[in-house]
């Protein structure tokens, strides 16, 4: 598998498990003229493990704008370059956007390789709707700014996907309770592809209780997924009504409505009123 001269390759690297690099990624890293890496020391370990000897240049968030022109000159002179970040897919909460944008403007070919991305891995196994999702990257670090940012998503019906730092997870869950209410369903996908991979799933207040009680859940890397706001229902789906009928035979109507609402992403109030009709 050879690389094409004058091409920038966007190459994802593993987010934990080294087995998650593709054959095409390895071949590309071996065959390009240069690898532009976010942190050459960090990526050096991976490249050594893969037997890749290609030279590296450092391109990170603090120098990527200045480096873009030089890289484009190299590409226009026929060199092929692979862009990698510390982990996962470059540009996804990682450096690379100014370079790719500049390449497009200059008519330089940009080729993406598919591969590891924490947001997509988390979403694929979270059990929340995936038909529409909004990737919102990292929330602001300060609590007030975080609450303001969450408020912008208050009425968003698509599933919300955030990256979060472990030291902020409790504050963020509290902010979600404040903005979206205690019943909004969330999933925390932690340490994906690694030994201690865990998924916590439930109402945000339940998950907050679990994370508070278990300090291990406050460590490592995590993706936070939040169910979208309930859609304005134009009629409750038949399966939801069936489940509601089954549950109301065994449980208090409010509880039954809450369970069905969380399962089908519907309004608990509306379901509750349905049990009374
Ligand atoms: N470009 C990367 C990608 O494609 O996923 C993301 C880079 S961003 C700087 C790092 C954040 O991604 C972490 O703080 C965490 O939120 C998430 N992340 C990366 N690896 C992860 C993993 N193994 N498990 C859970 N989240 C992860």
């Amino acid at each position: 598998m050879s690389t094409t001269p004058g091409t920038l390759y966007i190459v994802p690297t593993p987010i934990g498990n080294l087995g998650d690099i593709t054959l095409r990624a390895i071949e590309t890293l071996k065959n390009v003229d240069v690898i532009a890496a976010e942190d050459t020391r960090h990526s050096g370990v991976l490249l050594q493990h893969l037997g890749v000897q290609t030279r590296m240049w450092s391109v990170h968030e603090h120098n990527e704008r200045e480096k873009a022109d030089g890289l484009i000159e190299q590409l226009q002179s026929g060199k092929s370059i692979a862009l990698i970040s510390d982990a996962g897919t470059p540009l996804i909460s990682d450096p690379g956007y100014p370079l790719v944008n500049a390449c497009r403007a200059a008519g330089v070919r940009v080729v993406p390789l598919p591969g590891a991305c924490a947001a997509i891995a988390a979403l694929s196994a979270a059990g929340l709707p995936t038909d529409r999702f909004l990737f919102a990257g990292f929330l602001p670090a300060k609590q007030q700014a975080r609450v303001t940012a969450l408020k912008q998503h208050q009425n968003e019906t698509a599933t919300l996907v955030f990256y979060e730092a472990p030291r902020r997870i409790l504050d963020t869950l509290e902010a979600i309770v404040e903005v979206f209410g205690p019943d909004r369903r969330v999933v925390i996908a932690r340490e994906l592809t690694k030994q201690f991979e865990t998924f916590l799933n439930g109402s945000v207040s339940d998950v907050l209780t679990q994370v508070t009680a278990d300090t291990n859940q406050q460590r490592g890397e995590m993706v936070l997924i939040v169910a979208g706001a309930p859609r304005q229902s134009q009629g409750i789906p038949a399966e939801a009504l069936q489940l509601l009928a089954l549950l109301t035979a065994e449980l208090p109507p409010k509880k039954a409505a809450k369970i069905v609402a969380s399962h089908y992403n519907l309004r608990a109030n509306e379901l509750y009123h349905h049990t009374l009709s």
Side-chain angles (χ1 to χ4, degrees), residues 38 102 132 159 164-166 190 245:
E38 184 181 4
R132 289 185 313 122
T159 299
E164 192 48 285
R190 199 177 66 87

Side-chain angles (χ1 to χ4, degrees), residues 47-121:
L47 297 184
Q48 196 175 7
H49 168 83
L50 298 173
V52 173
Q53 288 173 343
T54 311
R55 72 197 158 112
M56 276 189 283
W57 287 347
S58 157
V59 179
H60 47 73
E61 63 172 323
H62 303 296
N63 72 3
E64 58 179 331
R65 280 171 204 280
E66 302 93 81
K67 291 260 169 139
D69 286 348
L71 289 167
I72 287 175
E73 266 172 38
Q74 295 290 326
L75 288 157
Q76 286 175 329
S77 75
K79 295 262 189 297
S80 56
I81 300 178
L83 177 68
I84 61 174
S85 61
D86 287 355
T89 302
L91 280 85
I92 307 301
S93 290
D94 265 343
Y97 165 68
L99 176 61
V100 171
N101 188 29
C103 283
R104 289 276 168 220
V108 169
R109 189 164 173 238
V110 183
V111 171
L113 271 61
C117 175
I120 298 299

Side-chain angles (χ1 to χ4, degrees), residues 154-155 157 229-233 236 244 257-258 260-262 264-274:
Q154 213 160 18
N155 298 318
T157 54
R231 287 174 213 168
Q232 297 292 345
S233 116
I236 304 163
L244 187 64
K258 198 173 158 191
V260 177
S262 145
Y264 286 96
N265 202 19
L266 298 168
R267 287 181 189 278
N269 246 348
E270 200 176 337
L271 290 163
Y272 174 64
H273 286 301
H274 199 274

Side-chain angles (χ1 to χ4, degrees), residues 15-16 38 85 87-94 116-120 122 138 162-166 189-194 220-224:
I15 56 169
E38 184 181 4
S85 61
T89 302
L91 280 85
I92 307 301
S93 290
D94 265 343
C117 175
I120 298 299
F138 287 96
F162 300 100
Y163 284 158
E164 192 48 285
R190 199 177 66 87
E191 292 289 271
L192 291 166
T193 78
K194 305 185 207 176
E221 295 191 285
M222 48 188 77
V223 181
L224 171 63

Side-chain angles (χ1 to χ4, degrees), residues 214-248:
D214 180 358
T215 52
N216 283 329
Q217 298 300 330
Q218 300 165 32
R219 299 199 180 103
E221 295 191 285
M222 48 188 77
V223 181
L224 171 63
I225 309 191
V226 182
R231 287 174 213 168
Q232 297 292 345
S233 116
Q234 294 148 339
I236 304 163
E239 302 139 278
L241 289 176
Q242 276 165 9
L243 182 60
L244 187 64
L246 285 172
L247 291 178
T248 34

